[in-house]
Amino acid sequence: MSSTTGARTGRKHRVREEALAEILRTGRRLLVEEGPGAVTLRAIAREMGMTAPGLYRYYAGHRDLIQALASSLYDELATALAEARDRHPAGEPGRRLREVCRELRRWALDHPREFGLLFAKPDADADTTPGTAAHDSSWRFGGVVLDLMVQLWRNGGVQPPPTTLDPAWAAQLEEVREHLSGEPVPLDVIYVFVACWARLYGAVAVEAFGHLDFALTDPEPLFEHTLDDILTALGATPDANHR
């Protein structure tokens, strides 16, 4: 390949990457301003001064577009959580997890429409089933939380549930263990991880979607109490000095 051909190929690649980035920025703006139903190839083309068929050079259809948008949002969230985690020393997984959970809440409250697309999934094309573009990025986000839980388990703090797991649950939890890079975490401990995640997600979502407005003008204390319970279940004793 000549240097001229290589330069031309490089320019085409840059132009394509810039166009992809602009499409996602436009799609996100439509999501925030008008809701998930507004994020269509036709609407984005109109906003960008293009024809709808022109966008098919970049995305084969609506599903590919939504998958790309969801993937980019999961990556953004994963980066935000990792930055929050790294504000505390690696040897203090409890403090790190507390900060990560707080950052998840902050991101959700600052980006309710984006949070809704990822976690309420009002658009079926935002699913994260294996093989989709959003699947791997959703696990990059989830891995920030899960890795800290695993570290707490290594420290001996996680207490498994007192009863034997139902075999049907065990089969499902095996899928989670596949994402632990060979860590021999017992399934009953993974159950604790999932139960803690469910409580965390519930506490964030109920506030982000406005379902506590009837009772609370400031839901933060309730979130912090829930977070204390989660950290206790994971063996990280809450410390008021770290609040």
Side-chain angles (χ1 to χ4, degrees):
M1 179 185 296
S2 69
S3 59
T4 301
T5 302
R8 188 181 302 119
T9 301
R11 283 196 298 274
K12 286 182 178 179
H13 178 74
R14 286 194 300 274
V15 169
R16 180 175 178 80
E17 290 300 307
E18 289 169 2
L20 288 168
E22 185 177 358
I23 290 168
L24 292 182
R25 283 195 300 270
T26 304
R28 183 173 184 173
R29 178 169 58 79
L30 289 169
L31 170 69
V32 171
E33 293 177 355
E34 302 181 37
V39 186
T40 65
L41 290 169
R42 185 175 298 278
I44 291 173
R46 183 179 63 247
E47 293 290 319
M48 293 177 61
M50 298 174 61
T51 63
L55 284 188
Y56 286 100
R57 290 180 295 170
Y58 302 98
Y59 294 107
H62 182 265
R63 180 172 176 78
D64 284 352
L65 169 66
I66 296 299
Q67 281 287 311
L69 179 57
S71 182
S72 70
L73 291 173
Y74 275 122
D75 284 341
E76 177 183 312
L77 178 53
T79 297
L81 297 191
E83 290 175 352
R85 175 197 64 200
D86 294 343
R87 287 197 281 268
H88 296 292
E92 298 185 33
R95 291 188 69 191
R96 288 184 134 201
L97 184 57
R98 180 181 288 279
E99 195 61 40
V100 163
C101 293
R102 286 171 169 167
E103 183 61 31
L104 174 62
R105 174 177 177 264
R106 282 192 289 265
W107 194 90
L109 295 179
D110 289 344
H111 306 92
R113 281 278 172 81
E114 293 95 325
F115 181 80
L117 180 72
L118 297 184
F119 296 102
K121 292 184 173 56
D123 190 316
D125 285 338
D127 70 284
T128 57
T129 52
T132 60
H135 176 264
D136 289 347
S137 55
S138 71
W139 273 103
R140 283 193 290 275
F141 145 72
V144 179
V145 177
L146 193 56
D147 288 350
L148 291 169
M149 290 183 175
V150 170
Q151 190 174 346
L152 287 166
W153 165 72
R154 287 200 213 101
N155 291 348
V158 181
Q159 296 299 315
T163 57
T164 303
L165 288 183
D166 184 294
W169 294 0
Q172 297 176 70
L173 296 173
E174 282 285 4
E175 298 182 16
V176 179
R177 188 151 62 179
E178 291 176 4
H179 292 272
L180 298 182
S181 303
E183 288 279 359
V185 182
L187 290 181
D188 53 0
V189 172
I190 293 177
Y191 169 82
V192 175
F193 292 171
V194 174
C196 286
W197 163 252
R199 290 201 65 186
L200 173 62
Y201 168 73
V204 172
V206 75
E207 181 179 2
F209 298 145
H211 296 313
L212 287 176
D213 294 352
F214 78 98
L216 301 174
T217 57
D218 178 15
E220 185 174 4
L222 177 61
F223 174 80
E224 289 293 332
H225 282 298
T226 302
L227 188 50
D228 283 345
D229 290 344
I230 291 169
L231 291 168
T232 298
L234 293 168
T237 304
D239 186 340
N241 293 327
H242 292 160
R243 293 187 179 182

